[in-house]
Amino acid sequence: MPRTYKSVDKAEQILKGALPQFLQNGYARTSMDRIASSAGVSKQTLYSHFSDKDGLFQALIEHMATRKFQLVWSKPLEGEPEEVLRGLAERILSEVNETDHVAFFRLIVAESRERPDLGELLLKNIAKPAMKILTEYFQAHPELNFKDPEAIARIFVGSLIHFILTQEIFGGKKFMPIESDRIVDSLIDLVLIRK
């Protein structure tokens, strides 16, 4: 039986209430009671949508991944490579670097030792489809003369994610600051082999 709009709205409300609890307390110390209270729903309503904390956390990962994927990758990659890559880099740096997303990524990394499936879920919902989109764009532009378009796609996106991790999670803003414009300009120069 398909969910009604009211049911979908309630699930969204629960996910919105769950996020700050997981970010503040971590997975282990977040209780379903806290989530119900934060979401403004009864425990009965919470359990009618999510059977347990694990299912709720997985749904939250899928929700966050889908939302970010759409914000970054929903715009078609059309146009000249420099323009497309610059726009894509700016969207990645803007959306992936959002405070809650960085904190949620940190939480998944912390939990992935005990739960490697959580990282796999994130890769399946964001990284794999994103690499497919960028690889297909590169393949559609033979003038770029890439021997391995998939590897170039991974290098491009991976460099931007590395920048976010070092600056936002590992304290790079304090110890090795660099402006994002410099990273984007240099990355485009490298990928497009400009001098």
Side-chain angles (χ1 to χ4, degrees):
M1 182 169 123
R3 285 185 170 180
T4 63
Y5 286 117
K6 190 173 183 180
S7 179
V8 171
D9 289 345
K10 193 61 75 172
E12 179 82 19
Q13 179 181 340
I14 293 167
L15 292 173
K16 284 183 180 175
L19 179 62
Q21 292 302 312
F22 282 121
L23 295 183
Q24 181 178 353
N25 304 304
Y27 179 82
R29 292 187 312 271
T30 296
S31 69
M32 292 295 266
D33 286 331
R34 280 183 173 172
I35 292 169
S37 176
S38 176
V41 299
S42 69
K43 280 182 68 176
Q44 181 181 358
T45 299
L46 175 60
Y47 281 107
S48 72
H49 285 81
F50 303 99
S51 59
D52 57 20
K53 182 169 73 167
D54 188 58
L56 172 59
F57 193 63
Q58 287 189 25
L60 187 58
I61 291 173
E62 289 175 2
H63 174 74
M64 294 280 289
T66 301
R67 186 170 57 104
K68 285 301 173 187
F69 182 85
Q70 290 172 344
L71 290 170
V72 173
W73 296 94
S74 63
K75 182 178 179 183
L77 301 184
E78 297 172 348
E80 292 300 313
E82 180 174 356
E83 176 185 315
V84 167
L85 293 178
R86 186 170 304 284
L88 177 59
E90 288 170 358
R91 287 193 305 278
I92 289 172
L93 292 175
S94 169
E95 296 300 333
V96 177
N97 207 10
E98 188 252 340
T99 305
D100 279 352
H101 190 73
V102 171
F104 193 65
F105 183 76
R106 180 183 284 137
L107 175 62
I108 292 172
V109 170
E111 296 297 331
S112 66
R113 179 176 175 163
E114 298 296 322
R115 297 280 316 277
D117 59 306
L118 299 178
E120 291 168 6
L121 193 59
L122 195 65
L123 290 176
K124 180 181 137 193
N125 284 289
I126 294 183
K128 187 174 180 179
M131 291 306 100
K132 184 176 185 290
I133 290 169
L134 189 53
T135 299
E136 288 174 355
Y137 173 78
F138 287 154
Q139 290 170 336
H141 288 271
E143 75 276 10
L144 293 172
N145 201 26
F146 292 154
K147 185 186 282 187
D148 190 341
E150 181 184 5
I152 298 294
R154 288 183 182 214
I155 290 167
F156 185 82
V157 175
S159 297
L160 296 168
I161 299 301
H162 176 268
F163 170 75
I164 292 168
L165 290 175
T166 57
Q167 295 298 293
E168 300 299 328
I169 293 180
F170 301 129
K173 282 183 175 178
K174 181 177 180 181
F175 297 106
M176 47 188 281
I178 186 168
E179 298 82 22
S180 61
D181 290 348
R182 288 178 59 200
I183 294 294
V184 172
D185 289 344
S186 297
L187 185 56
I188 290 171
D189 285 348
L190 285 170
V191 168
L192 299 182
I193 314 172
R194 293 190 312 204
K195 294 183 170 115

